Amino acid sequence: MTITEFKTACSAIEQEYKAKIAAAADLAAVEELRVAALGRKGALTDLLKGLKDFSMEDKKVAGPLGNALKGALSAALEEKTAFFAAKQINDELNKTCLDLTLPAFPAPQGHRHPLSVAMDRMTTILAHLGFEWAEGPWVEDEKHNFDMLNIPKHHPARDAQDTFFADTGSPISMVLRTHTSNVQSRFMEKHRPPLRIMAPGRVFRNDSLDATHSPVFHQIEGLYVDKNVSMADLKQDLTAFMKGLFGNKAEIRFRPSFFPFTEPSAEVDVKCVFCQGKGCPVCKGSGWIEMLGSGVVHPNVLKNCGIDPNEYSGYAFGMGVERLAMMMMNINDIRTFYENDVRVLSQF
Ligand SMILES: [Zn+2]
């Protein structure tokens, strides 16, 4: 073979294999071409075997030429292999219908229940007014739920129509607490005045569920006992509380009422926040909305808890959280809070 023939052969191999590599259909075909061109019995290997018969002069030309061709074919094979590897990954992704270029779906975000929001707002205001958080049991004995709070044995509140009696197997008659006032009796039993507590929590009444009643609802109770506590303190603190809740224009008024555990007792109305007292459907034209029950703690209650009513006095108030939340959020059916329909709840 002459050097000219060698050069021609090199060009032929380069042309043939570059075309074949470009046309290769898959990884196996590329591998076959690698063997056919560069393998032990491959076309280029075969051609380079002829180098040994060349003169020193020709070897200096043919050697680098052969090496360059080998490099070019290797590079073309590498490129094609990388192409098929990437294609394989793409095909896999397409099979699972995964389009990585699509924007992500927004993850649904949870949020707080409107009752928790309302409860938090109320307890935060009370905490600012110096009330300390206190809790008590849901299943309560009659002593703490009724007796100590001056609710006598024959009182209608103790009737099965109002109260759930719990069969605990214990000889002591147990009830599901009908108000958070059981926290009052339990707290005063263990602590000496001055004391200033709020008792937020769940209470139970034997009511059927309708738009304004529920057998389970929430109350927040406030209790302040110290020397010389009077209705004036109650009015001042409740006014501050309502201003915190409904803004600086909030006004309250007391209406005489009766509760066994307070004397004197008063229902507290707040000037309608919707019509500023002019009269609207929410306040049924009266300009005032009934908010809570309150009064000066009955001396018997203090006595029952081991506090001397001649030395100390106190006030107490209790309100329904649902009732306030319904007003704050303009909800007209109490069942909205318990049905937990996400479409409804997510509006608040
Ligand atoms: Zn009104």
Side-chain angles (χ1 to χ4, degrees):
M1 183 163 42
T2 65
I3 184 71
T4 317
E5 283 167 347
F6 180 83
K7 283 180 185 171
T8 314
C10 274
S11 311
I13 289 174
E14 183 170 10
Q15 252 180 18
E16 179 191 346
Y17 280 94
K18 278 197 168 170
K20 280 183 176 169
I21 291 167
D26 52 28
L27 269 178
V30 176
E31 203 41 45
E32 265 173 41
L33 287 170
R34 183 193 307 282
V35 175
L38 308 176
R40 252 184 331 126
K41 291 175 182 169
L44 184 60
T45 320
D46 206 35
L47 179 67
L48 294 179
K49 276 179 193 158
L51 275 178
K52 64 181 191 307
D53 303 326
F54 282 172
S55 67
M56 216 40 203
E57 212 53 32
D58 288 345
K59 273 183 189 165
K60 278 184 189 165
V61 181
L65 205 63
N67 279 336
L69 177 56
K70 196 173 177 179
L73 290 181
S74 295
L77 287 162
E78 252 354 277
E79 197 185 322
K80 199 70 179 175
T81 306
F83 167 79
F84 281 121
K87 186 172 178 296
Q88 201 174 0
I89 293 171
N90 243 331
D91 288 349
E92 282 300 316
L93 289 178
N94 283 340
K95 244 185 267 172
T96 56
C97 300
L98 188 63
D99 184 350
L100 295 177
T101 63
L102 282 178
F105 290 111
Q109 258 192 332
H111 52 87
R112 301 173 62 221
H113 193 282
L115 267 184
S116 307
V117 174
M119 198 116 148
D120 254 25
R121 222 168 116 189
M122 295 176 209
T123 51
T124 304
I125 298 168
L126 289 174
H128 282 300
L129 292 172
F131 288 85
E132 181 189 339
W133 190 290
E135 284 181 13
W138 291 355
V139 181
E140 184 58 283
D141 51 39
E142 287 202 63
K143 180 184 157 200
H144 288 90
N145 195 74
F146 295 126
D147 298 342
M148 291 177 75
L149 295 164
N150 202 34
I151 302 172
K153 287 269 183 264
H154 54 80
H155 194 277
R158 292 191 176 212
D159 200 286
Q161 277 173 0
D162 289 311
T163 305
F164 286 117
F165 286 85
D167 184 5
T168 58
S170 134
I172 305 168
S173 172
M174 302 295 278
V175 298
L176 298 186
R177 68 174 182 192
T178 54
H179 43 202
T180 42
S181 310
N182 69 325
V183 182
Q184 280 191 30
S185 42
R186 287 198 171 267
F187 198 89
M188 283 195 280
E189 231 178 8
K190 292 211 175 90
H191 300 80
R192 296 299 92 192
L195 42 93
R196 198 169 167 85
I197 55 160
M198 56 174 153
R202 198 166 284 195
V203 301
F204 310 85
R205 298 272 173 91
N206 200 349
D207 275 326
S208 349
L209 188 64
D210 62 29
T212 51
H213 295 88
S214 162
V216 185
F217 58 100
H218 299 79
Q219 275 189 344
I220 296 181
E221 182 118 349
L223 171 72
Y224 174 38
V225 180
D226 201 350
K227 285 178 177 157
N228 302 318
V229 177
S230 69
M231 280 300 256
D233 298 293
L234 176 63
K235 185 164 189 188
Q236 175 181 307
D237 289 350
L238 283 180
T239 305
F241 174 73
M242 291 304 172
K243 283 186 187 217
L245 211 52
F246 296 114
N248 260 338
K249 284 187 182 155
E251 273 178 54
I252 63 168
R253 73 171 185 192
F254 285 119
R255 266 183 303 112
S257 183
F258 173 80
F259 305 112
F261 30 83
T262 45
E263 179 58 38
S265 305
E267 302 248 16
V268 178
D269 299 338
V270 68
K271 191 177 257 184
C272 180
V273 289
F274 297 100
C275 64
Q276 267 73 46
K278 291 187 197 82
C280 72
V282 180
C283 58
K284 298 188 184 85
S286 71
W288 295 88
I289 297 174
E290 197 183 309
M291 286 305 249
L292 49 86
S294 67
V296 170
V297 181
H298 198 289
N300 284 351
V301 175
L302 295 176
K303 227 183 289 171
N304 291 342
C305 298
I307 294 172
D308 182 359
N310 295 316
E311 193 180 354
Y312 293 103
S313 56
Y315 71 61
F317 59 87
M319 59 198 145
V321 178
E322 277 81 351
R323 190 181 167 75
L324 264 89
M326 282 165 82
M327 241 186 64
M328 281 159 58
M329 299 174 191
N330 211 358
I331 295 172
N332 54 20
D333 194 323
I334 198 169
R335 288 169 288 198
T336 311
F337 292 126
Y338 314 118
E339 281 164 355
N340 287 329
D341 183 334
V342 175
R343 291 166 303 177
V344 177
L345 294 184
S346 59
Q347 295 172 32
F348 304 105

